[in-house]
Amino acid sequence: MSLSANRVKELFKYVDGRLVRKVSRGNTKYGSFLNTKSTKGYIRVLVDGRRYTEHQLVWIYFHDYLPKVIDHINGIKTDNRIENLREVTNQQNCANTIFPKKNNSLGVLGVCRLPSGKYRAQRTFLGVKYWSPLCSTIEEAVSEYQKLKAMHEH
């Protein structure tokens, strides 16, 4: 059985993108904010024996259903204001990545350094990888990445 907006509203009050508990249970007290973070940086909570993220509960609170993928428009995983959330496909969500992954040694999204010392931009769209020409500087490669990204935006 799926979680309803009525059930979420029974348990929580929405305040500026955060959910405040309306019910005390165990160590969680009435009036407290959700504050447990997952290893991926999302705020999470257990409701009726199932784990949810705060943004999923906010979405249900306003729309009474849970889509497969919810995107944080500004890329900030803890900004769960309803105006910052949108339903997307998994592909759209991946394309919306605005920060490099933590293991990215360059700290630049979509750019890698090759053994030759040159740089190259890469972007995957619809399962197909697109590569830029080789670049002498990281700045050139970033510019090439922006071109690759623009090719697939509507």
Side-chain angles (χ1 to χ4, degrees):
M1 185 171 160
S2 61
L3 187 62
S4 71
N6 287 338
R7 179 68 174 140
V8 175
K9 289 175 183 178
E10 203 177 287
L11 298 172
F12 305 100
K13 178 172 74 170
Y14 175 84
V15 179
D16 298 324
R18 298 297 313 273
L19 292 176
V20 179
R21 295 176 191 282
K22 291 170 70 174
V23 176
S24 293
R25 287 209 173 138
N27 293 332
T28 61
K29 303 296 177 208
Y30 171 89
S32 65
F33 287 98
L34 304 182
N35 61 5
T36 303
K37 279 192 182 178
S38 71
T39 56
K40 293 185 178 185
Y42 295 103
I43 298 168
R44 64 181 182 178
V45 66
L46 199 63
V47 175
D48 298 336
R50 182 168 172 218
R51 193 176 308 253
Y52 293 91
T53 58
E54 186 176 44
H55 66 274
Q56 289 174 319
L57 295 179
V58 168
W59 187 273
I60 293 168
Y61 189 101
F62 284 93
H63 299 289
D64 201 26
Y65 74 97
L66 181 60
K68 287 184 179 180
V69 183
I70 301 170
D71 178 45
H72 289 84
I73 297 168
N74 67 6
I76 300 171
K77 296 176 179 183
T78 56
D79 185 352
N80 296 315
R81 293 172 298 125
I82 191 63
E83 60 270 18
N84 187 47
L85 303 177
R86 64 182 172 185
E87 181 177 359
V88 294
T89 65
N90 190 51
Q91 177 185 0
Q92 289 169 318
N93 195 38
C94 291
N96 189 41
T97 301
I98 59 175
F99 301 113
K101 295 194 183 292
K102 288 181 182 177
N103 65 352
N104 181 322
S105 61
L106 293 176
V108 179
L109 183 65
V111 174
C112 62
R113 186 167 190 246
L114 303 172
S116 66
K118 300 274 187 180
Y119 298 90
R120 177 176 270 164
Q122 121 180 4
R123 177 153 168 94
T124 303
F125 185 75
L126 293 174
V128 177
K129 283 191 179 185
Y130 296 87
W131 297 89
S132 74
L134 294 179
C135 302
S136 297
T137 67
I138 198 166
E139 293 80 12
E140 281 180 60
V142 168
S143 176
E144 289 295 327
Y145 176 77
Q146 293 304 325
K147 291 176 190 174
L148 289 172
K149 188 174 178 185
M151 282 176 25
H152 303 113
E153 291 179 347
H154 297 50

mmCIF file of all heavy atoms in Angstrom, residues 62-108:
data_model
loop_
_atom_site.group_PDB
_atom_site.id
_atom_site.type_symbol
_atom_site.label_atom_id
_atom_site.label_comp_id
_atom_site.label_asym_id
_atom_site.label_seq_id
_atom_site.Cartn_x
_atom_site.Cartn_y
_atom_site.Cartn_z
ATOM 1 N N PHE A 62 2.294 17.251 -1.020
ATOM 2 C CA PHE A 62 1.641 18.187 -1.936
ATOM 3 C C PHE A 62 0.925 17.516 -3.109
ATOM 4 O O PHE A 62 -0.029 18.076 -3.648
ATOM 5 C CB PHE A 62 2.652 19.204 -2.475
ATOM 6 C CG PHE A 62 3.006 20.251 -1.472
ATOM 7 C CD1 PHE A 62 4.106 20.092 -0.649
ATOM 8 C CD2 PHE A 62 2.223 21.371 -1.314
ATOM 9 C CE1 PHE A 62 4.429 21.038 0.303
ATOM 10 C CE2 PHE A 62 2.527 22.338 -0.373
ATOM 11 C CZ PHE A 62 3.640 22.171 0.451
ATOM 12 N N HIS A 63 1.388 16.354 -3.558
ATOM 13 C CA HIS A 63 0.851 15.753 -4.786
ATOM 14 C C HIS A 63 0.131 14.418 -4.595
ATOM 15 O O HIS A 63 -0.457 13.903 -5.535
ATOM 16 C CB HIS A 63 1.979 15.571 -5.811
ATOM 17 C CG HIS A 63 2.629 16.862 -6.210
ATOM 18 N ND1 HIS A 63 1.998 17.807 -6.993
ATOM 19 C CD2 HIS A 63 3.853 17.369 -5.913
ATOM 20 C CE1 HIS A 63 2.810 18.835 -7.171
ATOM 21 N NE2 HIS A 63 3.934 18.601 -6.524
ATOM 22 N N ASP A 64 0.231 13.836 -3.412
ATOM 23 C CA ASP A 64 -0.463 12.594 -3.067
ATOM 24 C C ASP A 64 -0.054 11.388 -3.912
ATOM 25 O O ASP A 64 -0.838 10.472 -4.110
ATOM 26 C CB ASP A 64 -1.985 12.779 -3.098
ATOM 27 C CG ASP A 64 -2.700 11.708 -2.273
ATOM 28 O OD1 ASP A 64 -2.086 11.175 -1.324
ATOM 29 O OD2 ASP A 64 -3.858 11.391 -2.583
ATOM 30 N N TYR A 65 1.166 11.405 -4.435
ATOM 31 C CA TYR A 65 1.727 10.218 -5.090
ATOM 32 C C TYR A 65 3.249 10.359 -5.074
ATOM 33 O O TYR A 65 3.773 11.454 -4.850
ATOM 34 C CB TYR A 65 1.208 10.035 -6.526
ATOM 35 C CG TYR A 65 1.799 10.996 -7.534
ATOM 36 C CD1 TYR A 65 2.881 10.619 -8.328
ATOM 37 C CD2 TYR A 65 1.286 12.284 -7.697
ATOM 38 C CE1 TYR A 65 3.428 11.498 -9.241
ATOM 39 C CE2 TYR A 65 1.830 13.163 -8.610
ATOM 40 C CZ TYR A 65 2.897 12.766 -9.379
ATOM 41 O OH TYR A 65 3.441 13.638 -10.279
ATOM 42 N N LEU A 66 3.920 9.249 -5.285
ATOM 43 C CA LEU A 66 5.380 9.243 -5.284
ATOM 44 C C LEU A 66 5.882 8.851 -6.668
ATOM 45 O O LEU A 66 5.711 7.716 -7.094
ATOM 46 C CB LEU A 66 5.911 8.255 -4.235
ATOM 47 C CG LEU A 66 7.423 8.160 -4.093
ATOM 48 C CD1 LEU A 66 8.014 9.509 -3.692
ATOM 49 C CD2 LEU A 66 7.772 7.101 -3.063
ATOM 50 N N PRO A 67 6.491 9.806 -7.394
ATOM 51 C CA PRO A 67 7.038 9.463 -8.710
ATOM 52 C C PRO A 67 8.304 8.625 -8.564
ATOM 53 O O PRO A 67 8.885 8.538 -7.479
ATOM 54 C CB PRO A 67 7.358 10.830 -9.325
ATOM 55 C CG PRO A 67 7.586 11.723 -8.168
ATOM 56 C CD PRO A 67 6.724 11.210 -7.051
ATOM 57 N N LYS A 68 8.747 8.026 -9.658
ATOM 58 C CA LYS A 68 9.962 7.211 -9.616
ATOM 59 C C LYS A 68 11.189 8.054 -9.279
ATOM 60 O O LYS A 68 12.058 7.624 -8.535
ATOM 61 C CB LYS A 68 10.181 6.503 -10.957
ATOM 62 C CG LYS A 68 9.216 5.369 -11.185
ATOM 63 C CD LYS A 68 9.525 4.630 -12.462
ATOM 64 C CE LYS A 68 8.555 3.485 -12.637
ATOM 65 N NZ LYS A 68 8.797 2.724 -13.843
ATOM 66 N N VAL A 69 11.263 9.270 -9.846
ATOM 67 C CA VAL A 69 12.434 10.125 -9.623
ATOM 68 C C VAL A 69 11.983 11.552 -9.336
ATOM 69 O O VAL A 69 11.162 12.103 -10.062
ATOM 70 C CB VAL A 69 13.386 10.126 -10.847
ATOM 71 C CG1 VAL A 69 14.636 10.951 -10.563
ATOM 72 C CG2 VAL A 69 13.773 8.710 -11.242
ATOM 73 N N ILE A 70 12.554 12.134 -8.283
ATOM 74 C CA ILE A 70 12.325 13.538 -7.931
ATOM 75 C C ILE A 70 13.678 14.234 -8.003
ATOM 76 O O ILE A 70 14.663 13.759 -7.434
ATOM 77 C CB ILE A 70 11.738 13.681 -6.520
ATOM 78 C CG1 ILE A 70 10.408 12.932 -6.401
ATOM 79 C CG2 ILE A 70 11.570 15.158 -6.160
ATOM 80 C CD1 ILE A 70 9.891 12.821 -4.985
ATOM 81 N N ASP A 71 13.713 15.358 -8.683
ATOM 82 C CA ASP A 71 14.954 16.109 -8.875
ATOM 83 C C ASP A 71 14.954 17.356 -7.998
ATOM 84 O O ASP A 71 13.937 18.036 -7.866
ATOM 85 C CB ASP A 71 15.053 16.522 -10.351
ATOM 86 C CG ASP A 71 16.282 17.352 -10.643
ATOM 87 O OD1 ASP A 71 17.374 16.983 -10.156
ATOM 88 O OD2 ASP A 71 16.161 18.354 -11.357
ATOM 89 N N HIS A 72 16.100 17.644 -7.391
ATOM 90 C CA HIS A 72 16.316 18.922 -6.718
ATOM 91 C C HIS A 72 16.828 19.890 -7.782
ATOM 92 O O HIS A 72 17.948 19.724 -8.273
ATOM 93 C CB HIS A 72 17.347 18.778 -5.598
ATOM 94 C CG HIS A 72 16.848 18.022 -4.422
ATOM 95 N ND1 HIS A 72 16.863 16.650 -4.354
ATOM 96 C CD2 HIS A 72 16.306 18.457 -3.259
ATOM 97 C CE1 HIS A 72 16.358 16.272 -3.187
ATOM 98 N NE2 HIS A 72 16.008 17.350 -2.509
ATOM 99 N N ILE A 73 16.042 20.830 -8.161
ATOM 100 C CA ILE A 73 16.368 21.728 -9.274
ATOM 101 C C ILE A 73 17.712 22.414 -9.070
ATOM 102 O O ILE A 73 18.517 22.496 -9.996
ATOM 103 C CB ILE A 73 15.235 22.757 -9.485
ATOM 104 C CG1 ILE A 73 13.942 22.031 -9.882
ATOM 105 C CG2 ILE A 73 15.626 23.804 -10.539
ATOM 106 C CD1 ILE A 73 12.694 22.885 -9.836
ATOM 107 N N ASN A 74 17.978 22.889 -7.852
ATOM 108 C CA ASN A 74 19.236 23.603 -7.608
ATOM 109 C C ASN A 74 20.394 22.676 -7.237
ATOM 110 O O ASN A 74 21.499 23.137 -6.978
ATOM 111 C CB ASN A 74 19.055 24.682 -6.540
ATOM 112 C CG ASN A 74 18.758 24.124 -5.162
ATOM 113 O OD1 ASN A 74 18.777 22.919 -4.929
ATOM 114 N ND2 ASN A 74 18.453 25.018 -4.234
ATOM 115 N N GLY A 75 20.148 21.359 -7.199
ATOM 116 C CA GLY A 75 21.198 20.389 -6.938
ATOM 117 C C GLY A 75 21.553 20.213 -5.464
ATOM 118 O O GLY A 75 22.418 19.411 -5.132
ATOM 119 N N ILE A 76 20.880 20.932 -4.571
ATOM 120 C CA ILE A 76 21.172 20.832 -3.139
ATOM 121 C C ILE A 76 20.237 19.798 -2.520
ATOM 122 O O ILE A 76 19.021 20.002 -2.461
ATOM 123 C CB ILE A 76 21.040 22.203 -2.443
ATOM 124 C CG1 ILE A 76 22.019 23.187 -3.075
ATOM 125 C CG2 ILE A 76 21.264 22.073 -0.938
ATOM 126 C CD1 ILE A 76 21.841 24.624 -2.635
ATOM 127 N N LYS A 77 20.803 18.689 -2.061
ATOM 128 C CA LYS A 77 20.019 17.530 -1.625
ATOM 129 C C LYS A 77 19.172 17.780 -0.386
ATOM 130 O O LYS A 77 18.233 17.040 -0.125
ATOM 131 C CB LYS A 77 20.952 16.349 -1.358
ATOM 132 C CG LYS A 77 21.654 15.873 -2.601
ATOM 133 C CD LYS A 77 22.645 14.781 -2.286
ATOM 134 C CE LYS A 77 23.330 14.304 -3.544
ATOM 135 N NZ LYS A 77 24.247 13.203 -3.289
ATOM 136 N N THR A 78 19.486 18.804 0.378
ATOM 137 C CA THR A 78 18.710 19.091 1.589
ATOM 138 C C THR A 78 17.739 20.254 1.403
ATOM 139 O O THR A 78 17.042 20.620 2.342
ATOM 140 C CB THR A 78 19.648 19.396 2.771
ATOM 141 O OG1 THR A 78 20.507 20.478 2.400
ATOM 142 C CG2 THR A 78 20.468 18.168 3.150
ATOM 143 N N ASP A 79 17.679 20.820 0.206
ATOM 144 C CA ASP A 79 16.728 21.911 -0.079
ATOM 145 C C ASP A 79 15.438 21.288 -0.590
ATOM 146 O O ASP A 79 15.263 21.082 -1.787
ATOM 147 C CB ASP A 79 17.309 22.879 -1.107
ATOM 148 C CG ASP A 79 16.400 24.082 -1.347
ATOM 149 O OD1 ASP A 79 15.260 24.095 -0.828
ATOM 150 O OD2 ASP A 79 16.822 24.996 -2.080
ATOM 151 N N ASN A 80 14.548 20.978 0.335
ATOM 152 C CA ASN A 80 13.336 20.242 0.001
ATOM 153 C C ASN A 80 12.091 21.118 -0.099
ATOM 154 O O ASN A 80 10.973 20.645 0.098
ATOM 155 C CB ASN A 80 13.134 19.113 1.022
ATOM 156 C CG ASN A 80 14.253 18.106 0.928
ATOM 157 O OD1 ASN A 80 14.650 17.698 -0.159
ATOM 158 N ND2 ASN A 80 14.806 17.719 2.062
ATOM 159 N N ARG A 81 12.294 22.391 -0.430
ATOM 160 C CA ARG A 81 11.144 23.258 -0.696
ATOM 161 C C ARG A 81 10.412 22.705 -1.917
ATOM 162 O O ARG A 81 11.047 22.288 -2.889
ATOM 163 C CB ARG A 81 11.595 24.696 -0.978
ATOM 164 C CG ARG A 81 12.196 25.390 0.229
ATOM 165 C CD ARG A 81 12.818 26.736 -0.125
ATOM 166 N NE ARG A 81 13.921 26.524 -1.067
ATOM 167 C CZ ARG A 81 14.015 27.128 -2.255
ATOM 168 N NH1 ARG A 81 13.099 27.978 -2.683
ATOM 169 N NH2 ARG A 81 15.049 26.874 -3.038
ATOM 170 N N ILE A 82 9.097 22.703 -1.887
ATOM 171 C CA ILE A 82 8.329 22.110 -2.984
ATOM 172 C C ILE A 82 8.653 22.779 -4.318
ATOM 173 O O ILE A 82 8.694 22.114 -5.351
ATOM 174 C CB ILE A 82 6.804 22.103 -2.687
ATOM 175 C CG1 ILE A 82 6.057 21.245 -3.705
ATOM 176 C CG2 ILE A 82 6.252 23.519 -2.614
ATOM 177 C CD1 ILE A 82 6.407 19.781 -3.713
ATOM 178 N N GLU A 83 8.941 24.074 -4.309
ATOM 179 C CA GLU A 83 9.269 24.767 -5.560
ATOM 180 C C GLU A 83 10.641 24.373 -6.103
ATOM 181 O O GLU A 83 10.968 24.686 -7.250
ATOM 182 C CB GLU A 83 9.147 26.291 -5.422
ATOM 183 C CG GLU A 83 10.047 26.907 -4.387
ATOM 184 C CD GLU A 83 9.418 27.002 -2.992
ATOM 185 O OE1 GLU A 83 8.423 26.305 -2.720
ATOM 186 O OE2 GLU A 83 9.951 27.776 -2.184
ATOM 187 N N ASN A 84 11.453 23.685 -5.301
ATOM 188 C CA ASN A 84 12.759 23.208 -5.750
ATOM 189 C C ASN A 84 12.719 21.747 -6.199
ATOM 190 O O ASN A 84 13.729 21.197 -6.597
ATOM 191 C CB ASN A 84 13.798 23.382 -4.636
ATOM 192 C CG ASN A 84 15.196 23.057 -5.101
ATOM 193 O OD1 ASN A 84 15.632 23.504 -6.158
ATOM 194 N ND2 ASN A 84 15.894 22.240 -4.338
ATOM 195 N N LEU A 85 11.561 21.127 -6.143
ATOM 196 C CA LEU A 85 11.429 19.715 -6.512
ATOM 197 C C LEU A 85 10.625 19.588 -7.796
ATOM 198 O O LEU A 85 9.676 20.337 -8.018
ATOM 199 C CB LEU A 85 10.726 18.940 -5.390
ATOM 200 C CG LEU A 85 11.383 18.995 -4.019
ATOM 201 C CD1 LEU A 85 10.526 18.249 -3.004
ATOM 202 C CD2 LEU A 85 12.795 18.451 -4.053
ATOM 203 N N ARG A 86 11.022 18.634 -8.631
ATOM 204 C CA ARG A 86 10.267 18.364 -9.848
ATOM 205 C C ARG A 86 10.372 16.878 -10.187
ATOM 206 O O ARG A 86 11.368 16.222 -9.880
ATOM 207 C CB ARG A 86 10.761 19.205 -11.016
ATOM 208 C CG ARG A 86 12.185 18.901 -11.428
ATOM 209 C CD ARG A 86 12.646 19.782 -12.564
ATOM 210 N NE ARG A 86 14.072 19.561 -12.789
ATOM 211 C CZ ARG A 86 14.790 20.234 -13.638
ATOM 212 N NH1 ARG A 86 14.239 21.175 -14.365
ATOM 213 N NH2 ARG A 86 16.068 19.983 -13.789
ATOM 214 N N GLU A 87 9.323 16.379 -10.810
ATOM 215 C CA GLU A 87 9.313 14.998 -11.264
ATOM 216 C C GLU A 87 10.064 14.925 -12.586
ATOM 217 O O GLU A 87 9.827 15.732 -13.482
ATOM 218 C CB GLU A 87 7.874 14.521 -11.463
ATOM 219 C CG GLU A 87 7.764 13.097 -11.909
ATOM 220 C CD GLU A 87 6.322 12.621 -12.026
ATOM 221 O OE1 GLU A 87 5.396 13.392 -11.740
ATOM 222 O OE2 GLU A 87 6.148 11.461 -12.426
ATOM 223 N N VAL A 88 10.994 13.983 -12.684
ATOM 224 C CA VAL A 88 11.802 13.819 -13.898
ATOM 225 C C VAL A 88 12.007 12.335 -14.170
ATOM 226 O O VAL A 88 11.721 11.498 -13.330
ATOM 227 C CB VAL A 88 13.187 14.506 -13.764
ATOM 228 C CG1 VAL A 88 13.066 16.013 -13.650
ATOM 229 C CG2 VAL A 88 13.978 13.940 -12.593
ATOM 230 N N THR A 89 12.539 12.053 -15.338
ATOM 231 C CA THR A 89 12.977 10.693 -15.623
ATOM 232 C C THR A 89 14.370 10.522 -15.019
ATOM 233 O O THR A 89 15.050 11.519 -14.708
ATOM 234 C CB THR A 89 13.061 10.422 -17.136
ATOM 235 O OG1 THR A 89 14.088 11.270 -17.685
ATOM 236 C CG2 THR A 89 11.733 10.691 -17.833
ATOM 237 N N ASN A 90 14.817 9.295 -14.885
ATOM 238 C CA ASN A 90 16.167 9.054 -14.370
ATOM 239 C C ASN A 90 17.206 9.722 -15.273
ATOM 240 O O ASN A 90 18.180 10.301 -14.803
ATOM 241 C CB ASN A 90 16.421 7.551 -14.255
ATOM 242 C CG ASN A 90 17.701 7.275 -13.504
ATOM 243 O OD1 ASN A 90 17.903 7.810 -12.416
ATOM 244 N ND2 ASN A 90 18.567 6.470 -14.084
ATOM 245 N N GLN A 91 16.976 9.654 -16.564
ATOM 246 C CA GLN A 91 17.901 10.262 -17.524
ATOM 247 C C GLN A 91 17.979 11.779 -17.323
ATOM 248 O O GLN A 91 19.061 12.358 -17.323
ATOM 249 C CB GLN A 91 17.434 9.943 -18.936
ATOM 250 C CG GLN A 91 18.278 10.571 -20.002
ATOM 251 C CD GLN A 91 17.701 10.330 -21.376
ATOM 252 O OE1 GLN A 91 16.670 9.693 -21.515
ATOM 253 N NE2 GLN A 91 18.357 10.846 -22.369
ATOM 254 N N GLN A 92 16.827 12.427 -17.128
ATOM 255 C CA GLN A 92 16.820 13.872 -16.897
ATOM 256 C C GLN A 92 17.535 14.210 -15.595
ATOM 257 O O GLN A 92 18.256 15.198 -15.515
ATOM 258 C CB GLN A 92 15.379 14.392 -16.844
ATOM 259 C CG GLN A 92 14.671 14.397 -18.168
ATOM 260 C CD GLN A 92 13.174 14.654 -18.007
ATOM 261 O OE1 GLN A 92 12.523 14.111 -17.108
ATOM 262 N NE2 GLN A 92 12.623 15.478 -18.877
ATOM 263 N N ASN A 93 17.339 13.380 -14.584
ATOM 264 C CA ASN A 93 17.971 13.618 -13.303
ATOM 265 C C ASN A 93 19.496 13.537 -13.434
ATOM 266 O O ASN A 93 20.217 14.373 -12.895
ATOM 267 C CB ASN A 93 17.462 12.617 -12.268
ATOM 268 C CG ASN A 93 17.800 13.011 -10.863
ATOM 269 O OD1 ASN A 93 17.768 14.170 -10.500
ATOM 270 N ND2 ASN A 93 18.134 12.029 -10.053
ATOM 271 N N CYS A 94 19.982 12.542 -14.148
ATOM 272 C CA CYS A 94 21.428 12.410 -14.356
ATOM 273 C C CYS A 94 21.979 13.577 -15.167
ATOM 274 O O CYS A 94 23.077 14.064 -14.907
ATOM 275 C CB CYS A 94 21.744 11.091 -15.050
ATOM 276 S SG CYS A 94 21.447 9.661 -14.000
ATOM 277 N N ALA A 95 21.218 14.031 -16.146
ATOM 278 C CA ALA A 95 21.661 15.141 -16.989
ATOM 279 C C ALA A 95 21.709 16.449 -16.211
ATOM 280 O O ALA A 95 22.411 17.382 -16.586
ATOM 281 C CB ALA A 95 20.741 15.291 -18.198
ATOM 282 N N ASN A 96 20.980 16.507 -15.106
ATOM 283 C CA ASN A 96 20.917 17.727 -14.309
ATOM 284 C C ASN A 96 22.054 17.821 -13.288
ATOM 285 O O ASN A 96 22.111 18.753 -12.511
ATOM 286 C CB ASN A 96 19.559 17.784 -13.580
ATOM 287 C CG ASN A 96 19.328 19.112 -12.919
ATOM 288 O OD1 ASN A 96 19.634 20.150 -13.462
ATOM 289 N ND2 ASN A 96 18.813 19.072 -11.712
ATOM 290 N N THR A 97 22.961 16.873 -13.286
ATOM 291 C CA THR A 97 24.066 16.900 -12.331
ATOM 292 C C THR A 97 24.842 18.200 -12.507
ATOM 293 O O THR A 97 25.241 18.558 -13.609
ATOM 294 C CB THR A 97 25.005 15.700 -12.567
ATOM 295 O OG1 THR A 97 24.244 14.514 -12.426
ATOM 296 C CG2 THR A 97 26.152 15.693 -11.588
ATOM 297 N N ILE A 98 25.015 18.912 -11.395
ATOM 298 C CA ILE A 98 25.729 20.192 -11.494
ATOM 299 C C ILE A 98 27.040 20.196 -10.715
ATOM 300 O O ILE A 98 27.835 21.104 -10.856
ATOM 301 C CB ILE A 98 24.844 21.385 -11.051
ATOM 302 C CG1 ILE A 98 24.375 21.198 -9.619
ATOM 303 C CG2 ILE A 98 23.681 21.569 -11.988
ATOM 304 C CD1 ILE A 98 23.613 22.380 -9.064
ATOM 305 N N PHE A 99 27.242 19.180 -9.875
ATOM 306 C CA PHE A 99 28.480 19.086 -9.105
ATOM 307 C C PHE A 99 29.238 17.840 -9.533
ATOM 308 O O PHE A 99 28.634 16.814 -9.804
ATOM 309 C CB PHE A 99 28.171 18.990 -7.607
ATOM 310 C CG PHE A 99 27.395 20.160 -7.069
ATOM 311 C CD1 PHE A 99 26.092 20.002 -6.629
ATOM 312 C CD2 PHE A 99 27.961 21.416 -7.006
ATOM 313 C CE1 PHE A 99 25.369 21.069 -6.131
ATOM 314 C CE2 PHE A 99 27.250 22.496 -6.514
ATOM 315 C CZ PHE A 99 25.946 22.321 -6.073
ATOM 316 N N PRO A 100 30.571 17.907 -9.562
ATOM 317 C CA PRO A 100 31.335 16.694 -9.871
ATOM 318 C C PRO A 100 31.210 15.685 -8.733
ATOM 319 O O PRO A 100 30.954 16.061 -7.591
ATOM 320 C CB PRO A 100 32.770 17.194 -10.011
ATOM 321 C CG PRO A 100 32.811 18.500 -9.319
ATOM 322 C CD PRO A 100 31.424 19.062 -9.347
ATOM 323 N N LYS A 101 31.396 14.424 -9.044
ATOM 324 C CA LYS A 101 31.353 13.385 -8.015
ATOM 325 C C LYS A 101 32.525 13.584 -7.054
ATOM 326 O O LYS A 101 33.539 14.183 -7.399
ATOM 327 C CB LYS A 101 31.407 12.010 -8.664
ATOM 328 C CG LYS A 101 30.186 11.714 -9.505
ATOM 329 C CD LYS A 101 30.123 10.240 -9.832
ATOM 330 C CE LYS A 101 28.961 9.911 -10.725
ATOM 331 N NZ LYS A 101 27.664 10.048 -10.139
ATOM 332 N N LYS A 102 32.375 13.046 -5.851
ATOM 333 C CA LYS A 102 33.400 13.224 -4.820
ATOM 334 C C LYS A 102 34.752 12.637 -5.220
ATOM 335 O O LYS A 102 35.793 13.111 -4.797
ATOM 336 C CB LYS A 102 32.930 12.610 -3.505
ATOM 337 C CG LYS A 102 31.830 13.405 -2.853
ATOM 338 C CD LYS A 102 31.395 12.791 -1.546
ATOM 339 C CE LYS A 102 30.256 13.608 -0.955
ATOM 340 N NZ LYS A 102 29.739 13.049 0.270
ATOM 341 N N ASN A 103 34.737 11.583 -6.062
ATOM 342 C CA ASN A 103 36.003 10.953 -6.456
ATOM 343 C C ASN A 103 36.621 11.608 -7.697
ATOM 344 O O ASN A 103 37.585 11.111 -8.242
ATOM 345 C CB ASN A 103 35.801 9.453 -6.686
ATOM 346 C CG ASN A 103 34.886 9.154 -7.857
ATOM 347 O OD1 ASN A 103 34.272 10.053 -8.427
ATOM 348 N ND2 ASN A 103 34.772 7.879 -8.207
ATOM 349 N N ASN A 104 36.084 12.729 -8.135
ATOM 350 C CA ASN A 104 36.599 13.443 -9.297
ATOM 351 C C ASN A 104 37.832 14.237 -8.879
ATOM 352 O O ASN A 104 37.729 15.233 -8.172
ATOM 353 C CB ASN A 104 35.503 14.379 -9.841
ATOM 354 C CG ASN A 104 35.922 15.142 -11.067
ATOM 355 O OD1 ASN A 104 37.059 15.576 -11.184
ATOM 356 N ND2 ASN A 104 35.003 15.337 -11.979
ATOM 357 N N SER A 105 39.007 13.794 -9.307
ATOM 358 C CA SER A 105 40.259 14.418 -8.861
ATOM 359 C C SER A 105 40.456 15.825 -9.424
ATOM 360 O O SER A 105 41.180 16.624 -8.837
ATOM 361 C CB SER A 105 41.448 13.539 -9.234
ATOM 362 O OG SER A 105 41.526 13.383 -10.634
ATOM 363 N N LEU A 106 39.813 16.147 -10.550
ATOM 364 C CA LEU A 106 39.947 17.488 -11.124
ATOM 365 C C LEU A 106 38.978 18.482 -10.481
ATOM 366 O O LEU A 106 39.205 19.686 -10.519
ATOM 367 C CB LEU A 106 39.684 17.461 -12.634
ATOM 368 C CG LEU A 106 40.697 16.720 -13.496
ATOM 369 C CD1 LEU A 106 40.240 16.715 -14.945
ATOM 370 C CD2 LEU A 106 42.068 17.350 -13.369
ATOM 371 N N GLY A 107 37.883 17.968 -9.931
ATOM 372 C CA GLY A 107 36.874 18.852 -9.343
ATOM 373 C C GLY A 107 36.051 19.571 -10.390
ATOM 374 O O GLY A 107 35.435 20.594 -10.115
ATOM 375 N N VAL A 108 36.042 19.059 -11.628
ATOM 376 C CA VAL A 108 35.323 19.689 -12.731
ATOM 377 C C VAL A 108 34.391 18.656 -13.350
ATOM 378 O O VAL A 108 34.825 17.559 -13.716
ATOM 379 C CB VAL A 108 36.303 20.225 -13.801
ATOM 380 C CG1 VAL A 108 35.551 20.856 -14.950
ATOM 381 C CG2 VAL A 108 37.268 21.222 -13.193
#
